[in-house]
Amino acid sequence: MQKHSKIALFILVAGVLALIGYKVMQPHIDEHLYADTSDARGTKGDITIGVDNWVGYYPLCSKEMRRLMRREGYRLSCIDDGADYSKRMKGLETGELDLAVATVDAYITAGHDFRYPASIVAVIDESKGGDAIVANSDAVIPVIIEDA
C-alpha cells in the first residue's frame, strides 16, 4: 500500500470514529449545556434528591419530572449513591441533599447515627408481600393468638 493511501485511510477511519463519538455524546452534551445556560438564570433554586436504582424511584428523577420542575422554576438533580443509606443520611445532615428516598426500616437504622436528619413526608410504595421472614418449619413453634 502506498504512503498516500495509508494516510487517506487513517484520516477516513479517524473521521468516522469522531462522527460516531459525537453522535453518542451529543445528547449528554446538549442536556448539560441547556441545563447550565438556559435554566440557570430564571431558576428559583436547585433540588437535590438522594436515590438508588430501584424502579419505584423512577418517577422522581424522570425527564418528565425534571421538565415539570424546570417549568416551575427549579432545577432537579438526582444523585444515585448505590443504596448507601448512611451516605444518604449524611447528605441530608450536611445539606448536600434536600430530599432522600429510603425504606422506613433503612431510615430508622441509618438515620440513628445522624440523629434522624429529616422527616418522612410521603409514602411512595406499600409492600404487598414482597418482604418476608422465612424460617424452617422444624425450628419455629407456631403460636396461635386469640382475639380478646
Side-chain angles (χ1 to χ4, degrees):
M1 192 180 267
Q2 292 183 359
K3 184 177 180 181
H4 295 320
S5 298
K6 288 179 183 178
I7 292 172
L9 182 62
F10 174 76
I11 291 172
L12 179 65
V13 170
V16 168
L17 289 176
L19 286 173
I20 291 171
Y22 176 75
K23 276 297 199 189
V24 169
M25 295 304 295
Q26 181 182 10
H28 302 291
I29 293 168
D30 290 346
E31 182 178 335
H32 181 71
L33 288 175
Y34 177 74
D36 285 348
T37 57
S38 64
D39 288 353
R41 292 183 190 151
T43 59
K44 297 175 186 175
D46 295 327
I47 298 173
T48 306
I49 304 175
V51 297
D52 53 63
N53 65 354
W54 182 60
V55 70
Y57 302 148
Y58 175 77
L60 291 173
C61 299
S62 67
K63 286 185 180 182
E64 180 65 13
M65 178 62 88
R66 290 174 197 220
R67 186 185 66 76
L68 291 171
M69 293 301 293
R70 193 177 313 120
R71 190 170 70 194
E72 293 298 321
Y74 295 94
R75 289 184 353 164
L76 179 64
S77 301
C78 293
I79 299 175
D80 185 344
D81 58 16
D84 184 347
Y85 292 108
S86 292
K87 182 178 178 182
R88 210 173 287 178
M89 295 304 124
K90 184 173 183 170
L92 284 170
E93 182 184 52
T94 62
E96 177 186 340
L97 298 175
D98 299 305
L99 302 167
V101 293
T103 60
V104 174
D105 61 328
Y107 180 68
I108 290 170
T109 56
H112 180 268
D113 294 338
F114 300 95
R115 296 186 339 222
Y116 303 105
S119 298
I120 297 173
V121 296
V123 175
I124 295 173
D125 179 55
E126 291 184 35
S127 178
K128 300 295 183 191
D131 302 312
I133 298 174
V134 181
N136 185 326
S137 61
D138 295 335
V140 176
I141 300 171
V143 177
I144 300 173
I145 301 173
E146 296 181 22
D147 292 340

